[in-house]
Amino acid sequence: MSFLDVAGKTFLIVGVANKRSIAYRIGKHLEEEGASVIYSVRSLARRDGLAALLAGCEVHVCDVESDEQIQQLVSAVCHQHPRIHGLVHSVAFADYQDFSGKFHEVRRKSFLECVSVSCYSLIALANAFKNVLDPNASVVTVSISTTTMAAESYGFMAPAKAALDSAIVFLAKSFSRFSEVRFNAVCPGLLKTSASAGIPDYAEQFLYAEQATLRKRAVATDEAAHAALFLLSPRSSGINAQRIVVDAGMACNYFDSDIVRHTLAGVWPTKKD
């Protein structure tokens, strides 16, 4: 038996976008461990685009902003799988098109949409699947390494992820009234994913983050996926309502001597009136 003990168990993964998605890597690793994996994607077009990548897999379509579609997803999954042992929530969206880069100017519609997709969708899915989840199931969402650093170009996604981080605590408490279902978040540092490409100035921030790690090498998507795999397994049964940070030590290394030296060697910008 594999150490993870997920063989023969069934997992639902919501949010695969392409082969670079952390959700996809989690699914592939689960399959390699002998688990049955069900996928849910946002639209028919996305499912068609993933046809080759997920060939032979069970793939459903669900827009997580629609309660009706979430219920349809539950019905479709239950038809074949009366019990699932884990759920992965890897869904986030922020419309940066009209964002000025100044947080206080974020539009109400854009902010609420971001929270709805990136945070509330987990609550809606958990509630909808509460009678399908095994009493000892594990729910894992994908957050970010920190929500208290004001990276300007990241805009309003960080506050939405902060809401997500809080939501796992409240979900864990709510579900503890009738089950031992666990809720945790994998919180990676900056990754090379297609979703990240939509964040303004992300390439520069990624390169900086890489230098800020202790090993001077960025976090790989598989490293975050491996952490999620552990949280989905019964081997992490004592971990609940937690954020597992996967950042290769970046959070403790902002005063790295090389970074400080290179920064001070530059020209400091003049503060504008």
Side-chain angles (χ1 to χ4, degrees):
M1 182 179 71
S2 168
F3 168 76
L4 291 172
D5 191 22
V6 296
K9 294 182 171 64
T10 303
F11 297 85
L12 171 63
I13 297 184
V14 181
V16 173
N18 53 49
K19 66 180 181 180
R20 300 178 72 177
S21 300
I22 184 173
Y24 173 69
R25 298 307 305 160
I26 294 169
K28 289 297 104 180
H29 290 310
L30 283 169
E31 290 173 0
E32 291 166 2
E33 290 289 328
S36 297
V37 182
I38 312 159
Y39 295 92
S40 174
V41 298
R42 184 181 63 186
S43 64
L44 287 169
R46 178 63 55 81
R47 185 174 68 179
D48 292 343
L50 293 170
L53 190 66
L54 299 179
C57 299
E58 182 178 340
V59 185
H60 299 279
V61 174
C62 177
D63 181 344
V64 294
E65 284 199 281
S66 167
D67 290 334
E68 180 181 0
Q69 289 193 34
I70 289 176
Q71 288 302 323
Q72 290 172 353
L73 176 63
V74 173
S75 297
V77 169
C78 286
H79 184 68
Q80 297 290 334
H81 312 277
R83 185 71 66 192
I84 61 175
H85 301 88
L87 187 155
V88 174
H89 172 269
S90 183
V91 182
F93 176 76
D95 184 358
Y96 292 109
Q97 185 173 355
D98 296 322
F99 181 54
S100 68
K102 301 173 183 176
F103 180 72
H104 61 274
E105 293 180 351
V106 62
R107 296 176 184 270
R108 182 189 301 270
K109 178 179 181 298
S110 298
F111 184 76
L112 294 180
E113 180 184 40
C114 181
V115 174
S116 175
V117 176
S118 308
C119 173
Y120 183 75
S121 59
L122 173 63
I123 302 169
L125 286 165
N127 185 48
F129 277 95
K130 62 180 180 292
N131 295 323
V132 187
L133 289 168
D134 184 86
N136 295 296
S138 173
V139 178
V140 176
T141 189
V142 180
S143 187
I144 56 177
S145 59
T146 176
T147 60
T148 57
M149 180 187 297
E152 293 173 308
S153 62
Y154 205 54
F156 45 96
M157 177 58 81
K161 290 290 190 179
L164 178 67
D165 290 352
S166 180
I168 65 170
V169 176
F170 282 84
L171 285 168
K173 177 62 177 179
S174 291
F175 271 64
S176 71
R177 299 178 184 276
F178 57 87
S179 75
E180 292 190 14
V181 174
R182 298 177 293 115
F183 290 82
N184 294 292
V186 171
C187 307
L190 282 69
L191 300 174
K192 282 186 177 179
T193 64
S194 58
S196 302
I199 300 172
D201 302 321
Y202 187 82
E204 291 181 352
Q205 293 182 9
F206 177 87
L207 293 173
Y208 169 80
E210 185 167 50
Q211 291 304 308
T213 66
L214 292 171
R215 66 190 187 187
K216 308 299 183 184
R217 189 174 75 254
V219 174
T221 302
D222 265 345
E223 291 179 310
H226 291 158
L229 195 64
F230 171 68
L231 289 175
L232 288 167
S233 80
R235 300 308 184 194
S236 62
S237 59
I239 302 175
N240 196 7
Q242 299 297 316
R243 302 175 71 255
I244 306 300
V245 175
V246 185
D247 72 350
M250 183 181 70
C252 74
N253 201 38
Y254 296 129
F255 289 96
D256 177 84
S257 59
D258 288 338
I259 294 176
V260 172
R261 184 168 58 255
H262 292 157
T263 300
L264 294 178
V267 179
W268 291 95
T270 302
K271 184 176 180 180
K272 296 180 180 180
D273 294 330

